[in-house]
Amino acid sequence: MGDNVPNSNSMVCGEDMSKRVASVIGYLMIVICVLLLSTILGLSFKQLVSLTIFISFIAGSLFYWPFRNAFALTGVALLLIFNVLDIPHLMEFAQLDLVLFLIGMMTIIGYLEEKGFFEWFVGVLTKPFYNRPVVLISILLMLGAIMAALVDEVTSILFMMAIMLRVLDAYGVERSKTLPFIMFLVFTTNIGSSMLPVGNPIGVMIAFRAGLTFVDFIRWVFLLGLFSAALTTLVGLPYLSRIGMLAKVKTLHNSNYRGFEEVKFTRELLVPLLVFIGVLAGLIMHHSVEEMLHLPKNLLLLATPLIGAGVSLFLYRQKARELIEKKVDWWTLLYFVLLFSSVGTLKYTGVTDLIADSLLQVVGDNLIYAILLIGGVAGILTAFMDNVLAVATIIPIVQSMAATGLQTYPIWWSMLIAGTYCGNATIIGSTANIVAAGFVERRGYGSFSMVKWILIGVPISLLTFFVALALICLQIPLMPKL
């Protein structure tokens, strides 16, 4: 048996080497193809350089995701060296308003998490349904969507996944049968992240770049998200009930279950509740207050989370530094800044204008075609790459289309829906998917199969995306002419 160990190690090393070689070849082929295509299309030198470096950066992120910031830093440096991006435009394209918004919200959510606010909040909503398993699972799936809208998809999936697994354990569902429940929880979480700008980074990006308010999200996509999450829940419930045999379960019977009835409202939860209500009210009312005080549009959309974060840090006192160091995802924020700057160089050199002109030649003045095209491209890209990458690449193109006079208001919503709903298609379609897959694997619940995920995820994505898109298109006559 000792002779087999070196052989098995050699096989593993051989497989790793093959994957590395394939990644290198794939990376180089993408970069070379883009370079050749740019030359054939007759792009100027600066356009060719900016597009090639940008694609090198994106391809590097896709093939070597753990090293994405290394590719990002190198890519931005090359853009500066080749003079296709200067420092003033680097700062302009970095979208610091969006980054500051995310820092503020991450700080507030971190404070509320540490105080146990969300456990109490979810416990209040679920406690009456402990002995009605099918209803409780439905509520947890819908809460996944609502929590994603109120906080963000990653925080929501981590929190709601822990609750779902605890409930399934209490109902006696076998560990091997829990993965479908987590998959559908991810589905509703991704859909819910579209409902408010705080739910997903692409929501914040679109809100700031398109000038959309918190109220706009409530008017156009909040109820749409609830409907889509409910549709997903209704589609999944018969399958989940059969898998978990929920119809045979009458009550919680696991004596080790620690339900949320233990999380009672105390004076310690009063301040976090006031912070939550204050921030939510500020986000909802920001547009009205801006108009009343004659402030620039979306100024209070940015100021509200900053004020909330400041209050949270004051309340956390001596641990304030720990809160902002551990709860703010600085690694991701650095990547966002570099990504936005590199995307901006395409606008700086006129590449996005060329792409927009080409798309307009295809769709003409047919708005429905434009919605389907932008939404379809965003959806396909989202299924196979990070949705922030996909949407950040398309935003300058939509801005260029808007400059020609095309009504882009519904296009922004179609892009948001595509960037969130279509993340359900594959296991790598969103950050929540990846986080969930790693979580259940580490906890010993098994591993998701890409094939099995696609067999369920693609139909769910297509169903919810096209239903939502149809409802958006029906409301076009009611939309502002932007």
Side-chain angles (χ1 to χ4, degrees):
M1 292 183 63
D3 295 337
N4 293 331
V5 175
N7 291 335
S8 62
N9 289 338
S10 299
M11 288 177 65
V12 171
C13 292
E15 289 177 2
D16 289 341
M17 183 58 69
S18 298
K19 289 180 181 178
R20 291 176 184 175
V21 172
S23 297
V24 171
I25 292 173
Y27 175 76
L28 292 175
M29 285 185 65
I30 290 174
V31 174
I32 292 170
C33 287
V34 169
L35 183 60
L36 291 174
L37 185 61
S38 302
T39 305
I40 293 170
L41 293 175
L43 299 185
S44 67
F45 176 74
K46 284 194 171 184
Q47 290 172 338
L48 186 148
V49 170
S50 65
L51 183 59
T52 303
I53 294 175
F54 173 71
I55 294 298
S56 302
F57 160 23
I58 298 299
S61 298
L62 292 176
F63 283 103
Y64 305 99
W65 184 248
F67 304 101
R68 56 191 179 278
N69 272 329
F71 281 94
L73 289 165
T74 304
V76 170
L78 289 173
L79 292 172
L80 292 169
I81 291 170
F82 281 95
N83 199 30
V84 291
L85 182 67
D86 55 24
I87 293 177
H89 283 91
L90 169 68
M91 301 303 297
E92 178 186 339
F93 296 139
Q95 300 187 27
L96 294 180
D97 50 357
L98 185 154
V99 173
L100 288 172
F101 180 93
L102 293 175
I103 290 173
M105 289 306 303
M106 287 177 181
T107 304
I108 295 166
I109 291 163
Y111 168 73
L112 295 176
E113 280 182 311
E114 290 296 314
K115 292 297 182 179
F117 172 79
F118 293 121
E119 283 201 1
W120 166 80
F121 181 72
V122 173
V124 168
L125 297 176
T126 59
K127 184 179 177 180
F129 307 99
Y130 284 163
N131 296 328
R132 300 172 65 186
V134 175
V135 175
L136 181 55
I137 295 300
S138 303
I139 290 173
L140 289 177
L141 292 175
M142 292 302 296
L143 274 176
I146 294 169
M147 289 294 290
L150 293 176
V151 287
D152 66 83
E153 57 173 346
V154 174
T155 301
S156 174
I157 194 60
L158 285 172
F159 183 68
M160 293 304 301
M161 194 161 40
I163 296 170
M164 178 69 83
L165 291 173
R166 208 183 306 178
V167 168
L168 293 175
D169 179 51
Y171 285 140
V173 177
E174 296 176 20
R175 292 171 72 90
S176 60
K177 296 180 179 179
T178 57
L179 293 185
F181 291 87
I182 299 302
M183 184 185 298
F184 273 88
L185 182 61
V186 171
F187 292 164
T188 57
T189 298
N190 283 329
I191 291 170
S193 70
S194 70
M195 289 160 49
L196 293 174
V198 299
N200 198 297
I202 67 170
V204 186
M205 289 164 57
I206 291 173
F208 280 106
R209 300 289 77 82
L212 303 174
T213 67
F214 202 89
V215 174
D216 289 330
F217 275 75
I218 294 175
R219 166 62 182 86
W220 299 107
V221 290
F222 187 85
L223 291 178
L224 193 62
L226 283 179
F227 175 79
S228 299
L231 179 61
T232 302
T233 300
L234 289 174
V235 170
L237 269 182
Y239 171 64
L240 297 178
S241 296
R242 187 175 70 254
I243 291 291
M245 294 184 289
L246 297 181
K248 298 180 180 179
V249 178
K250 299 300 181 185
T251 184
L252 296 173
H253 59 270
N254 189 329
S255 60
N256 293 325
Y257 179 70
R258 298 181 181 273
F260 286 101
E261 64 269 29
E262 295 180 2
V263 184
K264 298 185 181 297
F265 187 83
T266 62
R267 290 181 61 185
E268 293 182 354
L269 283 171
L270 179 60
V271 174
L273 176 61
L274 293 175
V275 170
F276 178 76
I277 293 173
V279 171
L280 192 60
L283 291 173
I284 293 172
M285 298 172 60
H286 79 91
H287 183 59
S288 300
V289 176
E290 287 164 358
E291 288 189 335
M292 184 174 64
L293 299 178
H294 304 290
L295 297 173
K297 193 171 185 178
N298 281 355
L299 184 144
L300 292 180
L301 180 62
L302 173 59
T304 298
L306 294 181
I307 294 170
V311 171
S312 298
L313 291 175
F314 274 120
L315 293 171
Y316 219 55
R317 301 182 183 180
Q318 285 81 5
K319 294 184 178 180
R321 179 168 182 166
E322 179 182 337
L323 179 68
I324 206 161
E325 284 179 350
K326 292 185 177 180
K327 294 298 180 179
V328 177
D329 189 353
W330 297 106
W331 173 264
T332 299
L333 292 176
L334 171 62
Y335 183 72
F336 283 174
V337 169
L338 298 170
L339 169 65
F340 300 149
S341 299
S342 63
V343 172
T345 191
L346 300 182
K347 187 173 184 179
Y348 182 60
T349 57
V351 173
T352 55
D353 291 336
L354 290 176
I355 297 173
D357 290 340
S358 300
L359 292 176
L360 287 172
Q361 289 178 9
V362 174
V363 302
D365 58 355
N366 192 312
L367 181 58
I368 300 298
Y369 286 171
I371 291 171
L372 288 172
L373 181 61
I374 294 296
V377 171
I380 293 170
L381 290 177
T382 295
F384 296 100
M385 61 190 285
D386 185 79
N387 61 355
V388 174
L389 287 175
V391 172
T393 304
I394 298 173
I395 280 178
I397 298 172
V398 178
Q399 290 176 322
S400 296
M401 295 173 76
T404 66
L406 183 70
Q407 183 189 1
T408 54
Y409 196 81
I411 296 178
W412 290 112
W413 296 123
S414 72
M415 184 164 53
L416 173 67
I417 291 167
T420 48
Y421 290 30
C422 293
N424 288 329
T426 67
I427 201 170
I428 58 172
S430 82
T431 306
N433 305 19
I434 298 169
V435 168
F439 183 92
V440 294
E441 192 170 340
R442 285 195 304 273
R443 298 294 180 92
Y445 288 92
S447 301
F448 286 109
S449 162
M450 175 64 89
V451 174
K452 289 182 179 179
W453 185 294
I454 289 174
L455 288 175
I456 299 175
V458 169
I460 291 292
S461 295
L462 292 176
L463 173 65
T464 53
F465 173 66
F466 282 112
V467 168
L469 209 59
L471 293 173
I472 285 290
C473 289
L474 288 174
Q475 299 181 81
I476 289 176
L478 304 176
M479 292 182 176
K481 304 295 182 182
L482 297 179

